[in-house]
Amino acid sequence: MTAKDREPEEAHLSNNIKAADAATSESKPEMDTSSTEVARDRGRNWGWMLSAFICLNILILGCAFVGGGTSSNVKISTPVLQIFIIFLFLLTSIWMVYYIIYNYRGENAVVFKDRHAGPIWLRGGLLLFGILSLIMDIFKIATYVGYLHCDSAVKVAFPVMQLFFVPLQTYFLWMHSKDCVQVQKNLTRCGLMLTLSTNLVVWMTEVTEESLHQTIFPEFPNNVTNLSGRELYIRTASYDDGHCKCIHTSCDISKDAYYYLYPFNIEYSLFATVMAFVMWKNVGRVVFGSSHHH
């Protein structure tokens, strides 16, 4: 083979080698991208499952406490349920404070915003019902303080704790309802599900107390067959058995007032639940054309 024949053959061989190297270099980023997407999907699914598991367990436990408190066969008193809700208030408040501080100090914690989430009418309703819920808590404190000498102090601690929880949660949802969190996504999902389940437990409790109050028959105070669980409710919540007297004269007024404010606290819990669920769905979501958060 002459030198002239070798030169075209060597050039053709070198071109094939370069093409193979280029194809290999192009396939590597594709493989890396696909593997990264698979890892992200696994992490997202794991975070969703863990947060849903936390929410389900809290709701089951809350249903057990609420259902047991209304039954005459199960000895679960109102203070036990309130201690459980106070514990949820504390956990949720700690997480919300951490979230607010972390997103304030951290860079690129929330890069994307969902402009359709948290409309002004929803946040305005949350604020309105939150203010009315605070008024209800003030009347509750005034009522339970009058019976503090013959009843549990937990009944005073519960509205006091709710008096701090409602403003904190309202501020959190008002300021961060549009967030699409991109860091600490699993922790954020679990925290939002904790917030959601706490509001649902409060909603169940308030609906149950409202229903029991509406179904009391005062004309049959000694008929255990007709009253059953309602008699327990009168004894523990309404103080109509005559053994526990209020120490101040405004008990009847405050008691009647906070019963009329129950529906507003119920609506507040539902509004907060919806907003927490939307935030949970937006965790890890990339929204193009959204305003950046600095």
Side-chain angles (χ1 to χ4, degrees), residues 262-282:
Y262 264 121
F264 300 108
N265 194 23
I266 292 171
E267 293 298 326
Y268 175 81
S269 300
L270 291 178
F271 272 53
T273 300
V274 171
M275 296 179 73
F277 178 76
V278 173
M279 288 184 65
W280 178 77
K281 290 287 290 182
N282 282 334

Side-chain angles (χ1 to χ4, degrees), residues 235-273:
R235 231 179 16 248
T236 57
S238 298
Y239 307 102
D240 289 338
D241 57 351
H243 298 291
C244 189
K245 299 294 184 181
C246 183
I247 60 176
H248 56 81
T249 58
S250 61
C251 279
D252 293 333
I253 298 174
S254 59
K255 184 169 60 177
D256 293 337
Y258 81 73
Y259 277 132
Y260 285 107
L261 293 173
Y262 264 121
F264 300 108
N265 194 23
I266 292 171
E267 293 298 326
Y268 175 81
S269 300
L270 291 178
F271 272 53
T273 300

Side-chain angles (χ1 to χ4, degrees), residues 175-241:
M175 299 298 297
H176 300 281
S177 60
K178 298 179 181 294
D179 291 357
C180 299
V181 180
Q182 303 297 325
V183 296
Q184 295 186 347
K185 291 183 283 189
N186 291 334
L187 177 62
T188 303
R189 288 190 182 101
C190 294
L192 289 171
M193 274 297 158
L194 174 63
T195 306
L196 186 148
S197 56
T198 300
N199 283 280
L200 284 180
V201 171
V202 174
W203 172 77
M204 286 189 295
T205 304
E206 301 295 339
V207 168
T208 303
E209 291 186 3
E210 167 77 11
S211 301
L212 289 174
H213 175 69
Q214 294 296 331
T215 54
I216 290 174
F217 297 103
E219 64 269 17
F220 300 109
N222 297 320
N223 193 334
V224 180
T225 304
N226 290 335
L227 293 180
S228 61
R230 291 189 290 271
E231 186 182 8
L232 176 65
Y233 175 73
I234 294 171
R235 231 179 16 248
T236 57
S238 298
Y239 307 102
D240 289 338
D241 57 351

Side-chain angles (χ1 to χ4, degrees), residues 20 34 38 86 90 92 110 117 135 145 180 189 199 230 235 239 252 288 291:
S34 61
V38 170
I86 289 173
L90 288 173
T92 308
V110 179
I135 297 174
V145 165
C180 299
R189 288 190 182 101
N199 283 280
R230 291 189 290 271
R235 231 179 16 248
Y239 307 102
D252 293 333
F288 296 100
S291 59

Side-chain angles (χ1 to χ4, degrees), residues 7-275:
E7 290 178 359
E9 194 170 321
E10 291 176 355
H12 180 68
L13 183 61
S14 63
N15 290 333
N16 292 336
I17 294 173
K18 290 179 181 179
D21 293 338
T24 305
S25 62
E26 289 178 358
S27 62
K28 285 182 179 179
E30 292 178 357
M31 293 175 62
D32 294 338
T33 304
S34 61
S35 62
T36 304
E37 291 178 354
V38 170
R40 288 177 180 175
D41 290 338
R42 289 178 180 175
R44 181 178 60 184
N45 294 333
W46 182 83
W48 283 355
M49 291 178 61
L50 179 61
S51 60
F53 179 77
I54 292 174
C55 179
L56 184 62
N57 279 271
I58 293 175
L59 290 180
I60 292 175
L61 192 58
C63 289
F65 277 113
V66 173
T70 59
S71 176
S72 59
N73 298 322
V74 181
K75 294 182 180 180
I76 297 179
S77 60
T78 302
V80 174
L81 172 61
Q82 291 176 340
I83 290 173
F84 173 67
I85 299 178
I86 289 173
F87 177 71
L88 293 179
F89 281 162
L90 288 173
L91 286 181
T92 308
S93 300
I94 291 171
W95 177 81
M96 286 191 292
V97 170
Y98 170 78
Y99 181 92
I100 294 170
I101 294 175
Y102 181 83
N103 283 275
Y104 178 76
R105 293 183 176 180
E107 296 181 359
N108 299 324
V110 179
V111 181
F112 302 101
K113 297 267 188 181
D114 183 6
R115 57 189 179 90
H116 297 290
I120 187 63
W121 65 267
L122 189 61
R123 289 184 291 168
L126 183 77
L127 179 62
L128 175 62
F129 293 136
I131 293 173
L132 294 173
S133 297
L134 294 179
I135 297 174
M136 184 198 72
D137 290 327
I138 294 173
F139 283 123
K140 273 189 173 183
I141 294 171
T143 301
Y144 293 141
V145 165
Y147 296 99
L148 193 58
H149 63 285
C150 57
D151 203 357
S152 174
V154 177
K155 292 186 178 181
V156 179
F158 175 72
V160 169
M161 186 62 199
Q162 194 172 23
L163 203 62
F164 289 98
F165 175 77
V166 170
L168 176 62
Q169 181 175 246
T170 304
Y171 172 80
F172 167 76
L173 294 174
W174 183 282
M175 299 298 297
H176 300 281
S177 60
K178 298 179 181 294
D179 291 357
C180 299
V181 180
Q182 303 297 325
V183 296
Q184 295 186 347
K185 291 183 283 189
N186 291 334
L187 177 62
T188 303
R189 288 190 182 101
C190 294
L192 289 171
M193 274 297 158
L194 174 63
T195 306
L196 186 148
S197 56
T198 300
N199 283 280
L200 284 180
V201 171
V202 174
W203 172 77
M204 286 189 295
T205 304
E206 301 295 339
V207 168
T208 303
E209 291 186 3
E210 167 77 11
S211 301
L212 289 174
H213 175 69
Q214 294 296 331
T215 54
I216 290 174
F217 297 103
E219 64 269 17
F220 300 109
N222 297 320
N223 193 334
V224 180
T225 304
N226 290 335
L227 293 180
S228 61
R230 291 189 290 271
E231 186 182 8
L232 176 65
Y233 175 73
I234 294 171
R235 231 179 16 248
T236 57
S238 298
Y239 307 102
D240 289 338
D241 57 351
H243 298 291
C244 189
K245 299 294 184 181
C246 183
I247 60 176
H248 56 81
T249 58
S250 61
C251 279
D252 293 333
I253 298 174
S254 59
K255 184 169 60 177
D256 293 337
Y258 81 73
Y259 277 132
Y260 285 107
L261 293 173
Y262 264 121
F264 300 108
N265 194 23
I266 292 171
E267 293 298 326
Y268 175 81
S269 300
L270 291 178
F271 272 53
T273 300
V274 171
M275 296 179 73

